[in-house]
Amino acid sequence: MIALKSLLVALSTISGALAATAEPELAVRQGPSTPTGSGNHEGFYYYFWNDGSGSVNYANEDGGQYSVQWKDSNSFTAGKGYENPGLRNITYSGSYTPGPRDHLTIYGHTQIRNPIVEFYIIEDYKYLLGNVGPKQGSVTTDGGTYDIYTSSYQSGIPEGANLQVYSVRREKRVGGTVNLANHWDAWNSLGLRIEYPRYAIVAVEGWSSSAGSATIKVE
Ligand SMILES: *[C@@H]1O[C@H](CO)[C@@H](O)[C@H](O)[C@H]1NC(C)=O
């Protein structure tokens, strides 16, 4: 991970130099995305993926902090949090300047296949995926109310998730504490069988040629 961090620092130095000497719009659009990856960084789990479109620059910063800038990306996920978190509280803070189709979400996968589930606790969004089904219920927790949705979906992730569950916060925010246990209780009380998370990160996801930036710190 030290090698990767050095590489990320080197790349951001290069792109910084390019931005200083070239026409800024072009420099960003032509710049390479930083390498995708996942793993442990200073005691936190990070996950960064993009579909190769546009430019997405992700950097692990100290402890639970990361930053990401994106431009013309059709799809990416970037975030930091915990591996095998159990149903803990996740506290985060930061700054988030999204484009028109991005969202800030607690994101992860469950432990067990059949079905492995991708979960989202969406804190702030500009655009919700079109493929969510009708509202299934709601849960009041973490100082707000979240509406619950599910969708069946064959995702591109290697594990092949085939169900997604969403809690979507009505009172959008950037920063606070999310009590995973309350969301799990609410999801399972609807008859869903959502196993414990394999990892849970505080993530930014972008869609459809979006652009923006974020710096997020997980406690
Ligand atoms: C999460 O925070 C709530 C409120 O402070 C607390 O009651 C609960 O025990 C915490 N959960 C865990 C798993 O620590």
Side-chain angles (χ1 to χ4, degrees):
M1 283 314 116
I2 287 170
L4 178 58
K5 187 179 180 186
S6 308
L7 184 58
L8 293 178
V9 169
L11 282 171
S12 64
T13 306
I14 291 166
S15 68
L18 283 175
T21 55
E23 194 271 309
E25 184 97 344
L26 207 58
V28 174
R29 188 162 293 153
Q30 291 184 334
S33 293
T34 45
T36 58
S38 63
N40 291 301
H41 179 259
E42 297 189 0
F44 292 82
Y45 181 76
Y46 76 95
Y47 176 84
F48 172 49
W49 174 86
N50 74 77
D51 71 351
S53 61
S55 176
V56 187
N57 293 286
Y58 173 85
N60 278 318
E61 296 180 347
D62 287 349
Q65 186 164 306
Y66 69 93
S67 67
V68 59
Q69 297 87 38
W70 62 99
K71 183 164 177 58
D72 298 333
S73 174
N74 285 327
S75 186
F76 76 91
T77 303
K80 215 167 183 184
Y82 309 99
E83 200 161 18
N84 298 315
L87 298 182
R88 61 171 292 159
N89 293 320
I90 296 180
T91 298
Y92 73 97
S93 58
S95 63
Y96 171 61
T97 308
R101 296 198 150 216
D102 304 321
H103 53 266
L104 176 69
T105 182
I106 315 303
Y107 168 77
H109 302 166
T110 57
Q111 298 272 2
I112 298 175
R113 288 172 189 272
N114 301 320
I116 188 169
V117 176
E118 263 184 309
F119 58 86
Y120 293 81
I121 302 168
I122 297 181
E123 298 278 277
D124 184 282
Y125 67 94
K126 295 293 184 191
Y127 171 77
L128 274 189
L129 296 183
N131 61 352
V132 299
K135 182 174 143 182
Q136 310 244 343
S138 63
V139 54
T140 298
T141 179
D142 313 324
T145 300
Y146 294 76
D147 294 316
I148 298 172
Y149 302 86
T150 58
S151 76
S152 296
Y153 173 66
Q154 196 60 48
S155 89
I157 62 171
E159 294 86 348
N162 50 20
L163 177 70
Q164 296 173 319
V165 60
Y166 299 84
S167 283
V168 182
R169 189 178 175 96
R170 291 182 194 168
E171 309 84 359
K172 295 171 187 172
R173 67 176 181 177
V174 179
T177 297
V178 174
N179 184 328
L180 293 186
N182 288 347
H183 292 273
W184 255 252
D185 285 349
W187 296 339
N188 285 318
S189 76
L190 293 170
L192 303 167
R193 292 171 56 85
I194 314 293
E195 303 291 348
Y196 275 30
R198 184 165 73 75
Y199 67 87
I201 57 176
V202 182
V204 175
E205 287 202 331
W207 290 95
S208 299
S209 303
S210 202
S213 64
T215 298
I216 300 292
K217 180 178 180 161
V218 181
E219 297 302 321

